């Protein structure tokens, strides 16, 4: 059994599939649910007999509309399918809107696009990767247009180390398609890292050279990575689909092709700071280790050992002296106790006037233990008197 995936994963996969598959579609339908928002965005739906799809045209594209949209109007939309992942909703993001009724150029564009797509010109798997740090870039464009100045300005700001080689090219007019092809082939001989083919904005007729099959073929067969940078953000040309990378504008081509030197400066500063911090931490760690080893060495040195032994000897001597004094005091106390007992029981002490020792059968007896008729002996150191107890009166 296949493992389950999360809803977010599913919506993300759907988003990726739809947005990479339906990246430049043309859809015809009738407008409904139209709203001109205060932000400048336009929200509406288009429908036919059986289906409806939500649409949005953001302010940046809406300002190029030559007419006002109305409910019930039939239009042709050029746009991209987008998906809002949190809700799983998809809509048509409109780049261009024209009244219904396809013109000759639009039809030719769609026919050529379908033909080249069938031939594999748009396959992402054959796209060449751009070099990370290009040293030399060929610019196939007009030497007099604004595009070349924009690209030079951005390149100088982003990565001044790059060398730009201008290949002067005719980019407008009937003969321009042949000049573009010639320039692309020539640029391949200049030992460059990549080629930028493009021009500034204009009408569909002005840009049409980049929708020609021979130009698409020259880009497709180029052995260098190619960036197509034609027109404005809303312009999609056949060259955009064939090239390895599409740039929204010529300036954007430089932003895509070149790294940002300021980001690298920040990165190098960060590396330097990290290096200094790590070096400081390493030195501090080694110093701590060295101090610990020094302390350990000092604790285990010959001097420390002799000092310890000397202290132990002094301690033993003190303990021995204290023990000996205690022992002598204990013995002296015992002797004193014995002496006191001896003196108190000395026979000479017994010969006191009015005192005699009472015994029965030579055993000392207390007076309160005597009974009438007991035969006792009253004994002093010099005299023994035998007596018979007549009576015992206890008080």
């Amino acid at each position: 059994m296949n493992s389950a995936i999360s809803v977010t994963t599913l919506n993300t996969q759907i988003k990726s599939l739809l947005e990479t598959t339906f990246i430049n579609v043309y859809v015809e339908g009738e407008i409904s649910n139209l709203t001109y928002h205060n932000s400048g965005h336009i929200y509406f739906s288009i429908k036919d007999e059986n289906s409806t799809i939500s649409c949005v045209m953001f302010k940046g594209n809406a300002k190029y509309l030559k007419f006002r949209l109305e409910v019930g109007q039939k239009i042709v939309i050029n746009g991209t399918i987008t998906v809002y992942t949190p809700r799983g909703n998809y809509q048509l993001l409109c780049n261009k809107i024209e009244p219904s009724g396809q013109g000759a150029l639009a039809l030719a564009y769609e026919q050529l696009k379908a033909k080249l797509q069938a031939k594999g010109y748009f396959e992402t798997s054959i796209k060449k990767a751009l070099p990370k740090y290009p040293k030399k870039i060929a610019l196939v464009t007009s030497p007099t247009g604004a595009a070349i100045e924009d690209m030079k300005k951005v390149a100088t700001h982003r990565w001044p180390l790059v060398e730009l080689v201008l290949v002067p090219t005719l980019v407008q007019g009937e003969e321009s398609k042949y000049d573009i092809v010639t320039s692309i082939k020539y640029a391949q001989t200049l030992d460059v890292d990549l080629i930028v083919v493009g021009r500034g904005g204009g009408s569909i007729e002005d840009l049409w050279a980049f929708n020609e099959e021979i130009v698409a073929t020259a880009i497709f067969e180029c052995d260098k990575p190619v960036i197509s940078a034609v027109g404005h953000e809303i312009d999609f040309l056949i060259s955009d689909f064939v090239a390895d990378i599409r740039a929204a504008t010529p300036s954007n081509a430089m932003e895509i092709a070149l790294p940002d030197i300021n980001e690298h400066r920040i990165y190098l500063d960060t590396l330097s700071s990290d290096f200094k911090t790590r070096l400081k931490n390493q030195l501090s760690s080694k110093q701590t280790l060295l101090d610990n080893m020094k302390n350990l060495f000092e604790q285990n040195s010959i001097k420390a050992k002799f000092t310890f032994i000397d202290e132990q000897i002094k301690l033993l001597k003190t303990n021995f002296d204290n023990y000996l004094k205690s022992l002598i005091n204990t013995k002296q106390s015992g002797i004193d106790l014995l002496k006191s007992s001896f003196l108190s029981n000395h026979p000479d002490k017994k010969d006191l006037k009015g005192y005699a020792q009472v015994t029965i059968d030579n055993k000392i007896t207390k007076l309160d233990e005597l009974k009438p008729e007991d035969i006792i002996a009253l004994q002093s150191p010099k005299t023994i008197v035998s007596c018979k107890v007549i009576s015992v009166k206890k008080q």
Side-chain angles (χ1 to χ4, degrees):
M1 180 178 177
N2 294 332
S3 59
I5 61 175
S6 68
V7 175
T8 299
T9 300
L10 178 59
N11 280 341
T12 301
Q13 292 177 356
I14 293 172
K15 175 182 175 69
S16 177
L17 178 63
L18 290 180
E19 293 185 357
T20 56
T21 302
F22 302 96
I23 58 175
N24 190 36
V25 298
Y26 280 82
V27 182
E28 184 179 46
E30 181 180 312
I31 297 175
S32 65
N33 302 321
L34 177 63
T35 300
Y36 274 84
H37 198 272
N38 293 334
S39 63
H41 307 325
I42 305 173
Y43 300 93
F44 60 99
S45 299
I46 58 169
K47 64 180 181 178
D48 56 21
E49 295 81 6
N50 301 310
S51 298
T52 299
I53 184 172
S54 297
C55 304
V56 59
M57 186 175 226
F58 292 126
K59 179 181 179 180
N61 290 329
K63 65 183 180 181
Y64 294 104
L65 272 178
K66 302 301 182 182
F67 62 98
R68 185 173 179 83
L69 301 180
E70 296 178 358
V71 174
Q73 188 179 52
K74 199 168 185 180
I75 58 172
V76 176
I77 299 173
N78 169 224
T80 302
I81 295 296
T82 62
V83 177
Y84 183 58
T85 304
R87 289 202 298 265
N89 295 338
Y90 77 93
Q91 61 184 353
L92 182 59
L93 177 62
C94 304
N95 297 319
K96 288 184 178 181
I97 300 176
E98 296 180 357
S100 184
Q102 194 173 32
L105 291 180
L107 179 59
Y109 174 90
E110 287 299 323
Q111 288 175 339
L112 179 60
K113 181 181 176 183
K115 177 182 177 181
L116 297 182
Q117 187 168 20
K119 292 173 68 173
Y121 276 36
F122 306 159
E123 285 294 328
T124 56
S125 60
I126 62 174
K127 303 291 186 183
K128 294 180 283 295
L130 301 184
K132 190 172 183 179
Y133 300 102
K135 297 178 180 178
K136 194 173 183 181
I137 299 176
L139 305 179
V140 177
T141 190
S142 171
T144 59
I148 180 63
E149 296 303 321
D150 290 342
M151 288 191 283
K152 287 165 60 177
K153 181 179 179 180
V154 174
T156 301
H157 175 72
R158 285 184 66 84
W159 197 252
L161 302 176
V162 71
E163 178 184 355
L164 301 179
V165 180
L166 173 64
V167 182
T169 305
L170 186 65
V171 294
Q172 184 174 328
E174 185 62 29
E175 299 301 317
S176 60
K177 59 185 177 182
Y178 304 109
D179 202 35
I180 294 172
V181 171
T182 300
S183 295
I184 291 174
K185 292 181 179 179
Y186 173 70
Q188 295 180 72
T189 67
L190 298 178
D191 191 30
V192 295
D193 297 307
L194 64 92
I195 300 171
V196 177
V197 180
R199 56 155 290 166
S203 66
I204 187 64
E205 290 81 6
D206 294 339
L207 306 179
W208 192 254
F210 296 92
N211 284 328
E212 294 286 357
E213 184 172 359
I214 60 172
V215 173
T217 300
I219 295 174
F220 180 74
E221 294 177 349
C222 184
D223 59 5
K224 303 287 185 181
V226 176
I227 297 177
S228 175
V230 184
H232 300 295
E233 292 184 18
I234 61 173
D235 297 317
F236 282 82
L237 290 301
I238 295 296
S239 61
D240 293 337
F241 297 105
V242 181
D244 299 295
I245 293 290
R246 175 198 179 257
T249 63
S251 297
N252 182 237
M254 292 295 97
E255 293 172 348
I256 293 173
L258 298 173
D260 188 343
I261 194 169
N262 291 323
E263 291 182 357
H264 282 69
R265 285 169 178 161
I266 294 173
Y267 176 67
L268 290 176
D269 288 343
T270 302
L271 285 180
S272 176
S273 177
D274 289 345
F275 175 77
K276 291 178 181 178
T277 300
R278 292 188 180 186
L279 180 60
K280 182 178 180 181
N281 291 339
Q282 284 289 329
L283 291 176
S284 176
S285 175
K286 297 301 181 183
Q287 183 63 50
T288 301
L289 180 61
L290 184 61
D291 292 341
N292 291 338
M293 292 181 66
K294 179 182 177 182
N295 293 335
L296 184 63
F297 176 78
E298 290 176 351
Q299 292 173 6
N300 292 276
S301 65
I302 299 298
K303 181 180 179 181
K305 289 183 177 180
F306 275 111
T307 300
F308 176 76
I309 293 172
D310 184 59
E311 291 175 352
Q312 292 296 310
I313 292 174
K314 290 179 179 178
L315 180 62
L316 288 173
K317 183 176 181 298
T318 300
N319 291 340
F320 177 77
D321 290 343
N322 293 336
Y323 173 75
L324 184 59
K325 289 179 180 179
S326 176
L327 181 62
I328 291 173
N329 290 336
T330 301
K331 298 300 183 182
Q332 184 62 51
S333 296
I335 292 173
D336 292 343
L337 183 62
L338 289 174
K339 180 180 179 181
S340 175
S341 177
F342 173 78
L343 292 176
S344 63
N345 289 282
H346 191 277
D348 294 339
K349 295 290 183 178
K350 295 180 180 181
D351 192 15
L352 296 176
K353 185 176 181 180
Y355 287 89
Q357 180 175 278
V358 179
T359 62
I360 296 177
D361 298 331
N362 295 321
K363 293 181 180 181
I364 298 173
T365 305
K366 295 180 180 180
L367 286 177
D368 58 1
E369 294 178 351
L370 298 178
K371 298 184 295 295
E373 304 299 325
D374 283 341
I375 301 301
I376 63 173
L378 299 178
Q379 184 177 352
S380 69
K382 299 178 179 180
T383 306
I384 297 176
V385 179
S386 296
C387 303
K388 179 177 181 181
V389 177
I390 300 173
S391 66
V392 177
K393 184 180 180 180
K394 294 183 179 181
Q395 297 180 354

